Amino acid sequence: MEGKDNHFALAIDIGGSKVAYALIDIQGRLLGSIDKRAVPFYENGVASSEGLIAQMHPYIEQARLRPGTFHGIGMGLCANVDLRTGMVVLAPNLHWRQLPFATLVTEAYQLPVFISMDVRLAALGEAVWGGAKGVKNFAWVTIGTGYGGYFFLDGKLYDGRHAFAGNFGHIPFDEVTGYPCGCGLKGCIETYVSGPAIARTGQAAVDASRSPTLKRLAGKGRVTCESVFQAEAAGDPAAIEIIEQVIRLVAISVAGLVNTLDLDMIVLGGGVTHGSPDFVSRLDRRSRCFLMTEEAKRELVVIKESFPNSTLFGAAANVFMSQGVFKC
Ligand SMILES: [Zn+2]
């Protein structure tokens, strides 16, 4: 790594509503701060690829003017992406299907662009520079707007056949009476544990007059995921029950991954895991109740994500690795 201190990449994380930008160097250090912008949408609800490409311009100029070697753009999307072609196969939140986004960005800026599913990059970031560095088998698990993750097995990312692995949030929990899921199925576990699901369950408690604390916190508005955690911290019985159910279901799901794949570690990220200071430790304890082997109960390590945005760090690592600047 000697002599490569001033090598860097522009990392971009395109979520369902926000885009995060950061310059990250080859040591995994953030150069400056993480900037957040809104995803530009057309009136018909489809994300504007032209708007996104225009939004990148000042960040690319900043990178080009910076001393050192600018290696290109690493991009994570909340989408299924064809790694060979950079084609966005399906991005439900952006309403994109078969969009050659990496090619469009390359053509606009004449720069190398490396694109991947956000959860895949988050796992990579944790493996290269985070708490999972040196760990052979782990799952990145994120609970936020959705619930899912990615796997790092036998010392490398597990991509499966299409690099669409890690959609364990879409295993149906109750396909008969469950809620419709964004994926088209019904009663997926995501519809019980995601941020919007927590808000929906909290709202139902208010509507049923079961939670005066949540009603007060919501005021004239709707219940949010944050207010359910606030009500829980204030001792509200309905909110305590809601979060307890979320922890139980995620614990069953995560323990299922460990029982299936014999993992060393679970790395937890996403907004819901920040809902209360001890969320991860509670989930850790509960998950162990559902582990099958004594070895897993004794040896499994459950940690919080190592970065403010692990996808950005993985996006930068992906640039350096794809260009052969370093190996994982
Ligand atoms: Zn689903």
Side-chain angles (χ1 to χ4, degrees):
M1 213 70 78
E2 243 173 81
K4 287 182 178 172
D5 281 359
N6 55 358
H7 291 230
F8 62 94
L10 173 62
I12 307 177
D13 175 20
I14 303 175
S17 59
K18 292 267 164 55
V19 190
Y21 293 88
L23 292 176
I24 293 170
D25 78 3
I26 200 162
Q27 313 281 2
R29 293 176 301 208
L30 192 60
L31 305 173
S33 57
I34 297 173
D35 208 4
K36 286 187 185 156
R37 304 280 301 274
V39 174
F41 281 94
Y42 294 118
E43 277 185 11
N44 63 3
V46 176
S48 162
S49 56
E50 294 90 347
L52 273 166
I53 289 169
Q55 190 184 77
M56 291 170 195
H57 186 259
Y59 301 100
I60 290 168
E61 284 309 298
Q62 186 195 353
R64 280 182 162 144
L65 291 170
R66 190 182 177 90
T69 308
F70 176 31
H71 280 273
I73 303 172
M75 209 181 298
L77 269 105
C78 182
N80 289 334
V81 175
D82 185 323
L83 295 180
R84 290 170 302 113
T85 61
M87 176 77 80
V88 177
V89 178
L90 176 65
N93 296 323
L94 305 174
H95 296 278
W96 288 354
R97 265 178 198 275
Q98 302 295 337
L99 182 78
F101 192 57
T103 305
L104 295 175
V105 178
T106 302
E107 284 172 358
Y109 293 111
Q110 303 301 312
L111 280 168
V113 176
F114 303 94
I115 190 169
S116 186
M117 188 151 72
D118 52 5
V119 283
R120 181 177 185 273
L121 294 176
L124 182 64
E126 292 290 342
V128 173
W129 292 311
K133 187 174 180 180
V135 176
K136 211 171 164 198
N137 301 288
F138 75 92
W140 160 259
V141 176
T142 177
I143 324 168
T145 310
Y147 170 61
Y150 218 74
F151 302 112
F152 191 88
L153 303 176
D154 285 333
K156 57 182 190 295
L157 285 170
Y158 173 76
D159 284 326
R161 183 169 173 185
H162 305 97
F164 301 164
N167 283 308
F168 45 83
H170 297 284
I171 295 173
F173 173 69
D174 180 354
E175 85 287 9
V176 179
T177 61
Y179 294 92
C181 183
C183 73
L185 295 173
K186 204 171 154 190
C188 294
I189 192 161
E190 174 174 300
T191 66
Y192 295 88
V193 304
S194 66
I198 293 170
R200 184 200 67 224
T201 317
Q203 185 63 48
V206 169
D207 294 344
S209 303
R210 288 181 50 236
S211 175
T213 311
L214 267 178
K215 187 175 169 59
R216 181 172 50 75
L217 286 168
K220 288 193 169 65
R222 306 281 297 172
V223 171
T224 63
C225 176
E226 291 76 18
S227 60
V228 176
F229 275 107
Q230 270 179 284
E232 190 213 18
D236 179 75
I240 289 171
E241 190 187 319
I242 291 167
I243 300 303
E244 165 58 23
Q245 274 300 320
V246 168
I247 288 176
R248 183 178 79 89
L249 288 177
V250 177
I252 289 171
S253 171
V254 163
L257 301 178
V258 178
N259 291 339
T260 306
L261 297 166
D262 196 8
L263 301 172
D264 303 301
M265 180 182 274
I266 298 285
V267 186
L268 285 160
V272 170
T273 64
H274 303 291
S276 76
D278 63 349
F279 185 89
V280 169
S281 57
R282 282 192 279 165
L283 185 53
D284 180 359
R285 281 197 300 277
R286 199 67 197 269
S287 300
R288 280 167 211 279
C289 304
F290 302 109
L291 293 174
M292 195 186 75
T293 68
E294 289 306 316
E295 288 78 2
K297 284 179 190 173
R298 194 171 57 237
E299 295 163 14
L300 177 70
V301 177
V302 178
I303 63 165
K304 284 184 196 180
E305 60 188 321
S306 315
F307 307 104
N309 180 329
S310 299
T311 297
L312 285 174
F313 286 80
N318 193 30
V319 172
F320 301 131
M321 290 169 73
S322 300
Q323 297 203 325
V325 190
F326 74 40
K327 290 192 176 74
C328 181

